Amino acid sequence: MSIFHHHARTPHDKPDNLRSSQVLSVIDVISEGPIAGPVNGLKSVLVNGTPVLGPDGQNNVQGVNMRFHAGTADQSPLNGFEASAREKLVNADVTAQYHVTHTVDGKETNRLRLTLGVRQLFSINNKGETRDASVNLQIHIRHPDGWKSEKDITLKGCTHEPFAFSVVLENLPSAPFDVRIKRITPDSNESRLCNKTFWSSYTEITDVRQCYPNTAVVGLKIDSEKSGNQRAERNYLMRGRLVNVPANYDPVMRTYSGEYWNGEFKEAWTDNPGWCLYDLLTHPRYGLGKRAGVTDIDKWALYNIGQYCDQRVNDGYGSQEPRIRCNAWLTQQRKTYDIIGDFCATMRCMPVWNGQCLTFIQDKPSDVIWTYTNASVANGQFHYSFSARKDRHNAVEVRFIDPHNNWQPSVELVEDREAIRRFGRNLLRIDAFGCTSRGQAHRTGLWIILTELLETQTVDFCVGAEGLRHIPGDIFEICDNDYAGTATGGRIIAAESEKKIIRLDRTVNLPSEGSITLNLINKKGEPFTARVTGHPAPDCVEVDSLPSGITPLSVWGLKLPDLTQRLFRCVAIRENENGGYAVTALQHCPDKQARVDDGKHFSQP
């Protein structure tokens, strides 16, 4: 008796042996040049949101090569990027029954790159095993004398995924001309043979060596086989334009050498908004340089503003940072005044044409310039107005670009909870221009809240020749007897230098306790503060020191312990029909900046 053993053979599938490999070659225009460039080489280049190099220098994205030109006037072409290409999508299936034809219309096309492919390519034999398959395509071009075959392509292999390949055609006829893809292999009508073909796109290539003068550019080559992704969204972390900064300024340390600046400039990168604005106003190509010369811009005011922006304050995390920085990318053409307004709002200032040049008035602590009383204004009257309750916001959502959120927008909420409990929530939403710091975003929102809640009063009055000495931004002390309900200011009748006694134009009531000071104007026209030491008569006061040059009819103002000093910042001054000057001033809170810069406004994460 014989026994036969039959061993079943396991079918063997052939592995895929076709892999698409394409190299993306692209030139990205960054900005007007010259610029400082990438912050840290390929670590500052992100492909699909991933840095090419990690912090440790290891490759996160393989197969990426970069060329960078800063944007000088005489820069050379990018090596390896000697051609420009324009890709046009086709996305059509090519069958034996229906050929696909497209017209190439690029007048300066030197070469043509066709991207063709198969959806799948394999066959299955009688044993159920996957095997290689093949497909044949032809490329035809219509010349003036008719169609001619340019390429005959036979693709053989095995793949279960879409596979694309490129074919480059040269010796092209003059555009426009037609290109046709013809399938020679019959179409498959059975499931055991998969060989569908498609035409993905074609690219018109023009050989040209472009220098891109005065334009910062980056050339990237990305190998899809190594990077693992044919889609390539690109982002760059760049230090921007090299601009004119003071010759005595170190933009890295943010320090200014010497006591004075001689007015000379040097070229450097900085994110100080004062010098970024100066560059925008004076550059002849993309700025206002052809309309406003360097003499029309008050660089001395910007020098003081730049120093204010560079001062270090608490960042809210226990460290320090510059008070105001600007990291903006201007990509749209906009009205000049709107751009100036964005920069000025960032620096807490306003632009003012003073009759000779464009200057800038910053809302920051400064000395009192003059004291005004009822005796020194027209008709002895101050006219007050107040902001509307709806304009006093007590909560602000500040939108800024957050480096800790992969340079995506984040929102910082700033609130005055006491004001919310008292008046109800009044929310304002803003975009912080050029802001990339949570601390700066918080200071921006807090500055708005304090300004709107504390500086609610506006005063209008008219003065005589004193108005000649003032410009917008000056700080006034207002001693209004009617507002205070007591004598707080007037004019001097006489002054006895030896006895240090001043006779006033009215009687004053002084408290028996507390510090009392008298504000005077010395012979240089500068405010002078003296401490009141005695009250020998109802209309006389004795002081500890008396400046020289005190003349009859000069101004005096009292600062009493139970009355808050009322300060106002001039926002407008204009000549009126009577030959005097009409002044408009906004209430000024001297401790606002200290409250904003204290750095205790939000908890650590």
Side-chain angles (χ1 to χ4, degrees):
M1 178 178 176
S2 299
I3 300 177
F4 295 93
H5 295 277
H6 175 73
H7 298 280
R9 181 174 179 272
T10 303
H12 175 69
D13 289 339
K14 188 168 185 176
D16 289 0
N17 51 29
L18 295 179
R19 295 287 187 274
S20 294
S21 179
Q22 293 181 309
V23 176
L24 171 67
S25 179
V26 61
I27 296 178
D28 288 320
V29 173
I30 304 301
S31 73
E32 287 278 349
I35 68 173
V39 174
N40 196 3
L42 283 175
K43 294 180 181 179
S44 304
V45 179
L46 284 73
V47 177
N48 298 325
T50 302
V52 174
L53 294 182
D56 56 357
Q58 297 297 317
N59 281 314
N60 293 330
V61 183
Q62 303 288 337
V64 178
N65 293 301
M66 179 180 72
R67 295 287 187 272
F68 166 72
H69 279 177
T72 58
D74 57 350
Q75 65 188 10
S76 59
L78 288 168
N79 290 331
F81 296 85
E82 289 82 8
S84 64
R86 182 176 64 166
E87 184 178 28
K88 294 188 177 182
L89 296 179
V90 178
N91 288 335
D93 288 332
V94 180
T95 65
Q97 184 178 3
Y98 298 106
H99 313 315
V100 181
T101 303
H102 269 264
T103 301
V104 177
D105 54 9
K107 299 295 184 182
E108 299 180 355
T109 302
N110 300 115
R111 287 169 291 143
L112 197 65
R113 183 171 63 240
L114 309 181
T115 301
L116 311 173
V118 291
R119 305 293 180 189
Q120 293 176 315
L121 186 61
F122 62 89
S123 62
I124 301 176
N125 61 19
N126 294 331
K127 298 178 181 180
E129 298 173 328
T130 301
R131 287 292 179 260
D132 288 346
S134 65
V135 65
N136 179 236
L137 299 173
Q138 286 185 354
I139 302 175
H140 297 172
I141 291 182
R142 189 198 298 271
H143 290 260
D145 55 348
W147 287 99
K148 293 183 179 180
S149 176
E150 298 291 334
K151 293 282 186 179
D152 188 287
I153 304 165
T154 299
L155 183 65
K156 184 177 181 179
C158 178
T159 179
H160 289 73
E161 301 292 336
F163 170 76
F165 61 94
S166 296
V167 179
V168 177
L169 304 178
E170 299 180 349
N171 301 321
L172 304 174
S174 299
F177 58 89
D178 293 333
V179 177
R180 181 175 67 192
I181 307 300
K182 183 178 181 180
R183 179 180 170 125
I184 306 302
T185 303
D187 298 327
S188 172
N189 296 319
E190 53 180 286
S191 60
R192 296 173 61 182
L193 176 62
C194 294
N195 61 1
K196 287 186 177 180
T197 51
F198 64 88
W199 183 4
S200 175
S201 65
Y202 67 92
T203 303
E204 300 172 358
I205 302 173
T206 303
D207 294 326
V208 59
R209 291 176 59 84
Q210 297 185 7
C211 299
Y212 305 100
N214 301 311
T215 304
V217 293
V218 170
L220 277 188
K221 288 191 175 181
I222 305 173
D223 190 332
S224 65
E225 183 178 18
K226 294 181 180 179
S227 66
N229 199 328
Q230 296 182 3
R231 184 180 64 89
E233 178 182 314
R234 304 164 308 282
N235 300 94
Y236 306 94
L237 181 59
M238 294 278 184
R239 291 191 175 98
R241 265 192 51 79
L242 302 178
V243 301
N244 284 328
V245 300
N248 66 335
Y249 176 49
D250 183 345
V252 177
M253 303 303 297
R254 301 180 184 272
T255 56
Y256 299 79
S257 61
E259 186 176 356
Y260 301 104
W261 173 42
N262 61 5
E264 297 295 325
F265 288 97
K266 64 181 180 181
E267 196 175 66
W269 174 83
T270 181
D271 57 4
N272 186 306
W275 304 119
C276 294
L277 176 59
Y278 185 79
D279 175 70
L280 195 67
L281 294 175
T282 58
H283 201 281
R285 189 169 61 250
Y286 61 84
L288 288 180
K290 292 184 178 179
R291 294 179 178 268
V294 293
T295 58
D296 296 326
I297 310 299
D298 189 353
K299 62 183 179 182
W300 309 104
L302 286 176
Y303 183 74
N304 293 327
I305 291 173
Q307 289 180 311
Y308 175 84
C309 294
D310 277 330
Q311 291 174 0
R312 303 192 72 83
V313 298
N314 294 324
D315 65 354
Y317 293 114
S319 185
Q320 289 193 322
E321 65 179 358
R323 178 181 281 117
I324 302 172
R325 293 180 295 165
C326 180
N327 292 285
W329 190 31
L330 305 180
T331 59
Q332 296 179 340
Q333 186 177 11
R334 298 175 58 198
K335 293 182 179 179
T336 302
Y337 190 80
D338 293 341
I339 292 291
I340 295 175
D342 285 340
F343 276 95
C344 288
T346 299
M347 299 184 291
R348 307 170 186 171
C349 67
M350 63 179 181
V352 175
W353 179 261
N354 63 9
Q356 296 179 332
C357 65
L358 179 65
T359 188
F360 305 90
I361 308 302
Q362 192 169 41
D363 187 5
K364 65 178 181 180
S366 55
D367 297 330
V368 175
I369 299 299
W370 203 259
T371 298
Y372 280 107
T373 71
N374 301 85
S376 56
V377 301
N379 301 320
Q381 293 182 340
F382 296 93
H383 303 280
Y384 300 99
S385 59
F386 296 85
S387 62
R389 176 69 60 82
K390 64 181 178 63
D391 295 330
R392 304 177 190 177
H393 298 94
N394 47 39
V396 180
E397 289 183 356
V398 185
R399 191 169 179 261
F400 69 103
I401 301 300
D402 189 355
H404 302 293
N405 188 26
N406 200 25
W407 300 96
Q408 297 300 310
S410 293
V411 175
E412 175 68 12
L413 175 63
V414 190
E415 295 179 315
D416 187 326
R417 296 182 180 178
E418 180 62 32
I420 292 175
R421 283 193 294 267
R422 183 177 179 184
F423 303 112
R425 186 179 180 85
N426 188 3
L427 178 65
L428 174 68
R429 294 183 175 90
I430 66 167
D431 289 327
F433 177 77
C435 179
T436 56
S437 160
R438 184 189 174 193
Q440 182 175 327
H442 198 105
R443 291 192 297 273
T444 299
L446 191 59
W447 186 272
I448 293 173
I449 289 177
L450 292 180
T451 298
E452 295 184 355
L453 294 182
L454 300 179
E455 300 179 349
T456 61
Q457 197 173 24
T458 301
V459 61
D460 292 277
F461 57 91
C462 293
V463 298
E466 296 99 324
L468 285 170
R469 69 172 64 241
H470 299 314
I471 61 173
D474 287 349
I475 302 296
F476 304 140
E477 179 184 20
I478 303 296
C479 296
D480 187 353
N481 301 329
D482 299 328
Y483 191 91
T486 185
T488 59
R491 292 193 180 272
I492 294 174
I493 301 299
E496 300 180 26
S497 301
E498 295 182 358
K499 297 182 179 180
K500 299 179 181 179
I501 293 178
I502 301 176
R503 182 173 298 279
L504 311 177
D505 62 344
R506 66 198 68 201
T507 61
V508 293
N509 297 317
L510 303 182
S512 57
E513 297 180 354
S515 175
I516 305 171
T517 57
L518 188 69
N519 296 331
L520 306 171
I521 304 296
N522 63 21
K523 66 177 181 180
K524 296 181 180 181
E526 299 171 343
F528 181 88
T529 300
R531 187 171 61 87
V532 176
T533 58
H535 191 197
D539 60 348
C540 292
V541 293
E542 181 182 357
V543 295
D544 61 345
S545 61
L546 197 61
S548 59
I550 295 297
T551 60
L553 300 183
S554 61
V555 176
W556 62 270
L558 274 176
K559 185 178 180 182
L560 304 176
D562 57 344
L563 287 179
T564 302
Q565 186 181 30
R566 302 180 64 238
L567 301 180
F568 290 80
R569 182 183 297 276
C570 178
V571 295
I573 184 167
R574 56 199 177 277
E575 190 174 1
N576 58 25
E577 63 275 6
N578 299 322
Y581 294 88
V583 179
T584 299
L586 178 66
Q587 187 177 2
H588 172 64
C589 180
D591 66 339
K592 179 173 64 174
Q593 177 184 294
R595 294 173 63 175
V596 170
D597 291 345
D598 64 3
K600 301 176 181 178
H601 28 265
F602 59 88
S603 59
Q604 299 187 22

